[in-house]
Amino acid sequence: MDAQGRGRAENIDPADQWVLNPQTGDYELRLHPSAPESGIPSPRRSGFAPGRPQGRPGRRPQGAPPGDVPGQRRRRMPEDPMGPAGRRRPRPKKSKGKKIAVWTGGVLAFFVVAGAATAYFYIEHLNGNLTSLSDDGAGTGGYSKNRAINVLIVGTDKRTGKGNKGYGDSGSPGHADTTILLHVSKDRSNATALSIPRDMIVDIPDCPTKQEDGSDKVIPGTPNERFNVSLGQAGRTPSCTMRTVTQLTGIKIDNFMVADFNAVKTLSSAVGGVDVCLEKPIKDPKSHLNLPKGTSTVEGDDALAFVRTRHAVGFGSDLDRIKLQQQFLSSLMRKMKSKMTDAGAMLDLAESATKALTVDDTLSDVFKLRGLGMELGKVDLKNISFTTVPVVDNSDGATVLVNESKAKPLFGAIKGDVSLTATKQKKKDAEAARLKGTKSAAADVRVNIYNGSDTQGAASKTLTYLQTEHGMNKASQLGNHEPKQAKTTLEYSPDQADQARKLAEVMGLPGSALKPGKSETNDQGLPAMVLILGEDFSEPGTPVGAVAVPDDLDKTEADKKTCAK
């Protein structure tokens, strides 16, 4: 039945004239039912209308399989209130304005569908750019929105990409040339970017590693080795660098990202260049960097040369180069943040980042990568601190050693989610207020102690400390607690608030550790509070989570512009 038999052509909804052609998979515009557009055959004329045997297939794209093209939908005509008649009363014609509105709606609907399809294919394109590797069980299984985030960012000196032959070691699979452990606090109020010197002597652990052929192999560890050989050398993958950093710092890592030389070049170009500052001019024939004193904008090869130079700044050491890299990353962060409303720049960044990064397999989808970026983006730049693992010179003059007295409290601060900025002072004041009030006598405190940390014997040591140092003889220790937890908590029933305040005072617990709730029965059958020691616990007598970061720690904030000396 044609248009005249079913109703006037004007009664066809223009939005319905976009018809899906099953032969091509595309929506095509049919302007008139008797004159098919874009080569779409009419169901009547083609001989393959629904429910009829196929005859001569009519016109269709070459090579396309025969199929049915659905006919147009038409608005159902309302019944004539006057009843059946020989002629149906004509419907009023739509006004010109209404026709335009209907056409506009139809066209917009089409472009929404087309735009969604384009977005889907673009997302798939970005996913295809990403390279991923297994974390071999070295990580936590991926970041979570509900806890602190630890991401290991590794820059490799592998000579990949056009124009990079002048950098790195010829024929080398690469090293962990630039490594940063980025810690983002649970409340997203602050972050710490910890640089790890490549020439620092560490113990590299045994590394179970997934091989290219799918087999598993344990790469033997090596003690007293340069940190940079934790990647690339002896077949080590980023998962081995993760294990090395965890062994060094005690911090469990969620995800890794590996960036090659091209990442610096393409990302710096995608944002339109990165501003850097020098207190003196640099002309380094080894890195090919030639910059005047003052502020310059670098991108591409110049950006790579800037982060690679070492002999023209400071004392020519890797530690001086780390300062350049931190300055560059701070400036890159500021520039990226300024481009957040620039759709073109964001697309360029997405394209560049997905091509240049190798990520762990839990980040092998751009939506997961975007989610991580959104979590990181919640932190104000002024509360992102850059610092470096404290070191001392080694006797060989070419490597460095960890300065244990300074590094240990710094690692503890990061592990305990302690900010290197002053963003938590108000929160600490509120916690202190919660601890005010009447306190029970030490002899009346009843508490069951569990070890929810990885510190061996923490519960038994705490029991001894409470009984011998403070006379809390009604305390008991009940072994390990599963699962492990990052923060120490003390849960108590309402009538035990005075006991909780006394124990918090003795243990040095912050107010945030106190959790009104329920008690449990101790070994005398009496109600007792529940103390679970978390990863922020160090040893009895040391305030929980109160880590004294060295005053002379070399650090800077991402919002500050610095000049290399």
Side-chain angles (χ1 to χ4, degrees):
M1 183 177 293
D2 57 20
Q4 291 178 346
R6 296 181 59 186
R8 291 177 57 87
E10 297 97 282
N11 294 331
I12 302 171
D13 188 346
D16 294 334
Q17 292 186 298
W18 289 101
V19 180
L20 176 66
N21 186 345
Q23 298 172 4
T24 65
D26 296 329
Y27 281 89
E28 301 183 22
L29 179 62
R30 183 180 298 169
L31 295 176
H32 194 280
S34 61
E37 299 293 327
S38 305
I40 303 178
S42 165
R44 287 197 63 190
R45 296 182 181 181
S46 67
F48 55 95
R52 294 181 56 186
Q54 289 192 14
R56 194 161 57 92
R59 291 189 299 146
R60 64 173 180 268
Q62 186 175 358
D68 296 340
V69 179
Q72 299 170 359
R73 292 181 294 110
R74 288 168 174 76
R75 291 178 179 148
R76 182 174 296 172
M77 298 293 293
E79 294 184 5
D80 194 330
M82 302 298 294
R87 296 185 61 185
R88 193 178 291 274
R89 181 180 298 174
R91 296 184 62 182
K93 291 185 178 180
K94 290 186 176 71
S95 69
K96 186 176 180 180
K98 288 184 179 181
K99 284 185 177 181
I100 293 174
V102 172
W103 266 102
T104 303
V107 172
L108 284 176
F110 168 74
F111 281 108
V112 166
V113 173
T118 301
Y120 169 78
F121 286 116
Y122 185 67
I123 293 298
E124 288 301 294
H125 163 72
L126 293 179
N127 279 333
N129 288 344
L130 281 170
T131 300
S132 63
L133 293 172
S134 173
D135 72 355
D136 298 310
T140 63
Y143 76 93
S144 169
K145 294 182 178 181
N146 302 318
R147 54 178 169 81
I149 297 174
N150 295 300
V151 179
L152 191 66
I153 304 169
V154 185
T156 175
D157 60 359
K158 185 177 181 180
R159 301 196 313 180
T160 54
K162 183 179 179 181
N164 296 328
K165 293 183 178 179
Y167 304 100
D169 298 330
S170 178
S172 170
H175 304 77
D177 191 56
T178 301
T179 305
I180 294 176
L181 174 59
L182 178 63
H183 171 84
V184 183
S185 67
K186 180 180 179 180
D187 62 7
R188 309 297 186 253
S189 67
N190 65 92
T192 300
L194 177 69
S195 293
I196 303 175
R198 68 171 192 170
D199 294 326
M200 185 173 63
I201 299 299
V202 297
D203 292 332
I204 298 178
D206 292 345
C207 298
T209 307
K210 181 75 69 176
Q211 303 298 297
E212 290 186 4
D213 62 3
S215 63
D216 294 315
K217 177 182 178 181
V218 176
I219 301 174
T222 53
N224 299 318
E225 183 61 90
R226 286 178 189 249
F227 173 80
N228 69 344
V229 304
S230 66
L231 175 68
Q233 308 306 299
R236 295 186 176 103
T237 65
S239 67
C240 193
T241 309
M242 291 177 76
R243 294 183 194 277
T244 304
V245 172
T246 296
Q247 180 171 279
L248 171 69
T249 63
I251 299 168
K252 196 75 170 177
I253 299 169
D254 299 307
N255 299 100
F256 70 72
M257 298 180 184
V258 180
D260 58 17
F261 287 157
N262 284 333
V264 176
K265 295 165 67 171
T266 57
L267 289 176
S268 60
S269 296
V271 297
V274 176
D275 296 334
V276 296
C277 183
L278 300 171
E279 287 193 1
K280 61 181 181 180
I282 287 182
K283 191 171 185 178
D284 184 359
K286 292 188 175 182
S287 69
H288 314 294
L289 182 65
N290 188 358
L291 291 177
K293 175 183 177 180
T295 301
S296 300
T297 302
V298 297
E299 62 177 289
D301 288 319
D302 287 338
L304 178 59
F306 183 83
V307 299
R308 290 286 299 163
T309 191
R310 62 185 293 184
H311 301 286
V313 292
F315 297 102
S317 70
D318 184 53
L319 297 178
D320 291 307
R321 181 168 66 172
I322 285 176
K323 294 178 181 178
L324 281 181
Q325 293 167 349
Q326 291 176 347
Q327 180 196 152
F328 179 86
L329 289 173
S330 295
S331 183
L332 178 61
M333 286 181 179
R334 293 194 296 271
K335 195 65 174 287
M336 290 175 69
K337 197 148 192 175
S338 71
K339 297 286 185 178
M340 291 299 289
T341 57
D342 185 337
M346 288 296 98
L347 289 176
D348 288 343
L349 280 169
E351 190 74 32
S352 300
T354 52
K355 285 182 177 179
L357 292 176
T358 297
V359 297
D360 68 87
D361 47 13
T362 68
L363 285 179
S364 58
D365 179 276
V366 292
F367 285 110
K368 295 179 181 178
L369 200 59
R370 173 181 174 272
L372 175 59
M374 292 180 68
E375 292 301 307
L376 304 183
K378 294 177 181 179
V379 184
D380 195 309
L381 289 177
K382 68 182 180 181
N383 295 324
I384 301 177
S385 299
F386 281 88
T387 190
T388 306
V389 175
V391 295
V392 294
D393 290 335
N394 198 4
S395 57
D396 60 11
T399 59
V400 293
L401 303 171
V402 178
N403 184 334
E404 295 288 350
S405 62
K406 292 184 177 181
K408 186 175 180 180
L410 175 59
F411 298 158
I414 296 173
K415 186 178 179 180
D417 206 22
V418 176
S419 173
L420 299 188
T421 63
T423 63
K424 293 189 175 180
Q425 189 57 49
K426 291 182 179 179
K427 183 177 178 180
K428 289 180 179 179
D429 292 343
E431 290 172 353
R434 289 177 59 190
L435 294 176
K436 292 181 179 180
T438 305
K439 300 178 180 66
S440 295
D444 296 329
V445 173
R446 296 187 301 272
V447 60
N448 289 341
I449 307 167
Y450 296 87
N451 184 10
S453 72
D454 289 326
T455 303
Q456 295 292 327
S460 60
K461 290 179 182 178
T462 299
L463 177 65
T464 301
Y465 169 75
L466 294 178
Q467 290 181 339
T468 59
E469 299 290 330
H470 296 280
M472 294 185 177
N473 296 320
K474 294 179 181 178
S476 307
Q477 74 91 6
L478 300 180
N480 294 329
H481 180 273
E482 294 294 342
K484 305 294 184 185
Q485 59 185 48
K487 298 288 188 178
T488 296
T489 58
L490 175 62
E491 186 173 2
Y492 57 94
S493 59
D495 61 343
Q496 293 173 315
D498 293 347
Q499 294 183 43
R501 281 189 282 268
K502 181 61 179 179
L503 184 61
E505 179 185 63
V506 169
M507 288 287 297
L509 298 177
S512 58
L514 274 61
K515 296 175 55 180
K518 298 179 180 179
S519 60
E520 65 181 25
T521 303
N522 65 7
D523 50 10
Q524 285 89 37
L526 299 173
M529 298 180 292
V530 179
L531 175 65
I532 303 175
L533 304 174
E535 294 294 343
D536 57 352
F537 174 83
S538 54
E539 58 184 31
T542 300
V544 173
V547 181
V549 179
D551 294 332
D552 57 349
L553 186 67
D554 188 8
K555 67 183 181 71
T556 186
E557 279 69 52
D559 67 321
K560 292 183 171 61
K561 298 180 181 180
T562 59
C563 294
K565 299 180 180 179

